[in-house]
Amino acid sequence: MNPMNDHVQDPARLPKPRRDYKDTLFRLLFQDRDRLLSLYNAVNGTSYDSPEDLTVVTLENAVYMNMKNDVAFLLDNRLSLYEHQSTWNPNMPLRDLFYVSRTYQGLVKDETLYSSKRLRLPAPHFLVFYNGTEEREERSILKLSDSFEYAGTQKEEPNLELKVLVLNINQGNNKELLEVCRTLREYCLLYTSDAADEA
């Protein structure tokens, strides 16, 4: 037997498949400012045409609690945090809370929190693009307060809330969005084709 081909015969020596490659592809695609601006315009019904107006603030290679976010950017006093999920994750509000806290820390690092002057922050908007196999609504909202536990049976008004809009981008959902943003549409077609190949 040729020792050079031993790895072909021994599956244990083969590299393990990466389950996160679709998330990685999403990040790679939307690192491009033109594509990211197109996605932003499609989601918000806007018509910005200058990618230079975007300030990318993604937590690059900064792993926090074994997680990193996909795309975060500033435009027109808005902080947008976009995530892609190929599996349903009800913990996205908590994850986004960690992401936005880290991002705000970076944005005010040269300011003092003890000043009598109020610090101004860009308003956050949290969005998940979902294309997993689990059946989900076309649009849904995940809330941080759904994870809170209360003493007794009486629910209190939450002192802290964070809402995440989840857009289902599987075939037949959010057609207008996919028609407007070509990159997202092509990404979904590739994912659908890839899923069919795996079946």
Side-chain angles (χ1 to χ4, degrees):
M1 181 181 291
N2 184 347
M4 295 297 286
N5 292 326
D6 281 354
H7 68 282
V8 175
Q9 306 297 326
D10 184 4
R13 294 181 62 186
L14 292 173
K16 292 184 179 178
R18 290 188 58 183
R19 296 179 180 271
D20 66 342
Y21 74 95
K22 294 180 182 83
D23 297 336
T24 302
L25 177 60
F26 183 88
R27 278 195 298 272
L28 287 172
L29 283 172
F30 291 105
Q31 280 179 359
D32 179 273
R33 287 172 185 267
D34 289 310
R35 292 181 185 135
L36 185 54
L37 186 60
S38 171
L39 181 60
Y40 179 88
N41 283 332
V43 165
N44 296 290
T46 52
S47 55
Y48 289 98
D49 58 5
S50 179
E52 292 75 27
D53 292 341
L54 286 170
T55 303
V56 176
V57 292
T58 305
L59 300 176
E60 293 289 346
N61 299 319
V63 178
Y64 184 62
M65 292 186 68
N66 297 320
M67 299 179 295
K68 55 184 173 182
N69 66 336
D70 287 344
V71 182
F73 59 98
L74 297 165
L75 179 63
D76 196 24
N77 292 322
R78 173 185 284 221
L79 171 60
S80 298
L81 291 95
Y82 290 177
E83 294 290 321
H84 165 262
Q85 292 291 300
S86 56
T87 55
W88 184 255
N89 187 337
N91 298 308
M92 280 310 304
L94 183 58
R95 288 174 55 180
D96 273 333
L97 178 64
F98 295 146
Y99 299 153
V100 76
S101 296
R102 296 276 298 211
T103 302
Y104 279 150
Q105 282 179 326
L107 292 175
V108 301
K109 66 182 178 189
D110 297 325
E111 307 287 342
T112 176
L113 297 179
Y114 301 100
S115 168
S116 58
K117 174 186 166 188
R118 185 190 306 275
L119 296 180
R120 309 303 295 178
L121 300 171
H125 293 266
F126 307 98
L127 182 57
V128 169
F129 299 95
Y130 169 76
N131 67 339
T133 56
E134 191 174 323
E135 287 291 326
R136 287 290 166 177
E137 303 89 349
E138 187 169 70
R139 296 170 66 96
S140 55
I141 301 286
L142 296 174
K143 296 190 297 184
L144 181 65
S145 62
D146 288 340
S147 296
F148 295 163
E149 292 188 0
Y150 297 94
T153 57
Q154 187 67 30
K155 265 198 166 185
E156 307 163 16
E157 183 70 25
N159 288 325
L160 177 65
E161 185 62 279
L162 189 151
K163 297 178 183 178
V164 179
L165 173 62
V166 182
L167 297 179
N168 186 340
I169 55 173
N170 281 306
Q171 191 171 13
N173 293 282
N174 287 294
K175 294 178 184 176
E176 187 176 334
L177 170 66
L178 296 175
E179 285 171 10
V180 175
C181 185
R182 177 181 173 180
T183 302
L184 188 62
R185 180 175 70 249
E186 290 176 349
Y187 172 80
C188 290
L189 288 172
L190 174 66
Y191 180 82
T192 302
S193 164
D194 186 42
D197 289 344
E198 290 176 2

